Amino acid sequence: MAVPVPTFDAMLIPTLQALSNLGGSGTVQEIYEQVVQILNLPDQVLEITHGTTSTSEVEYRLGWSRTYLKKYGLLENSARGVWSLLSTAADFEHLDSQEIVKSVRESKKSNVDPSDSKIEAIDENSEELEWHQQLHKMLLALEPAAFERLVQRLLRESGFIQVQITGKSGDGGIDGVGIARINGFLSFHVLFQCKRYQGSVTAGQIRDFRGAMQGRTDKGLFVTTGTFTRDAAKEATRDGAPPIDLIDGEQLVERLKELRLGVKITMIESVEIDNAWFEKI
């Protein structure tokens, strides 16, 4: 029998447990990996995407889980995308996920026009998820050559030098080569492959890429708009084999945002009156 994708409320407590396991704080990816382990989710569930995006349904629902926990006062997040427990001493075993959902939704209702019949459970990440989806669609609409040029630009903006697109038939999936610089002193050649599609990259594809790298470099980079199966991630860091760094669709859009590549960020001014200042006059 197929295992269903866990609902966002079913992942509330596991999210808290994940952060506790991580020492009280963690990135979105670290939390995701911990929750997957805690719930023992199989690959066929992790590979289900949300709508037409490259975001997995589990990742999408975890976004809701984090937001509800933040609204309930158990989590906070930094501008750098790190989430943390507000109290590492909290007793998660006695928390009721349904009570958390009920409390957050009632709080939302009390702060909106009661005549509004379209009250829904809010998600602070809704705008973030919206731009993620828009950017994913844009990436999937690019021609293969355009996507390769985008990755080339991304690597250059990230500090790589001599980045060249070399992809051609019969080259074993190698799309380009570049030199990564570390602190201006160390450097090493990196071969990269770009895969613009919605599916999941498998361990077999990682092995094929590594085979094409053989004798040419000791470092690889695989960039996709999709996702990687757990076996693919394990294969990429297998002991005794040249390591391959992986960048999936979510990491790709976040990196594009950080580098302002095809993404514009508008800052909104917030003005507050300092009553205490006037009282001291």
Side-chain angles (χ1 to χ4, degrees), residues 128-179:
E128 178 179 350
L129 290 169
E130 182 179 349
W131 73 259
H132 271 220
Q133 293 171 6
Q134 291 177 354
L135 187 49
H136 271 131
K137 289 180 180 178
M138 180 63 71
L139 295 175
L140 290 169
L142 292 176
E143 293 294 327
F147 184 61
E148 290 174 356
R149 291 194 298 272
L150 174 64
V151 173
Q152 180 184 42
R153 173 70 182 278
L154 176 69
L155 295 182
R156 283 174 171 156
E157 296 285 355
S158 299
F160 282 64
I161 61 174
Q162 299 181 28
V163 185
Q164 299 177 14
I165 299 297
T166 61
K168 55 182 180 293
S169 60
D171 201 23
I174 302 298
D175 293 314
V177 60
I179 298 177

Side-chain angles (χ1 to χ4, degrees), residues 214-225:
Q214 196 70 33
R216 302 171 64 176
T217 184
D218 56 2
K219 188 72 173 177
L221 177 65
F222 202 121
V223 183
T224 180
T225 52

Side-chain angles (χ1 to χ4, degrees), residues 85-92:
L85 298 170
L86 284 175
S87 173
T88 56
D91 186 359
F92 307 137

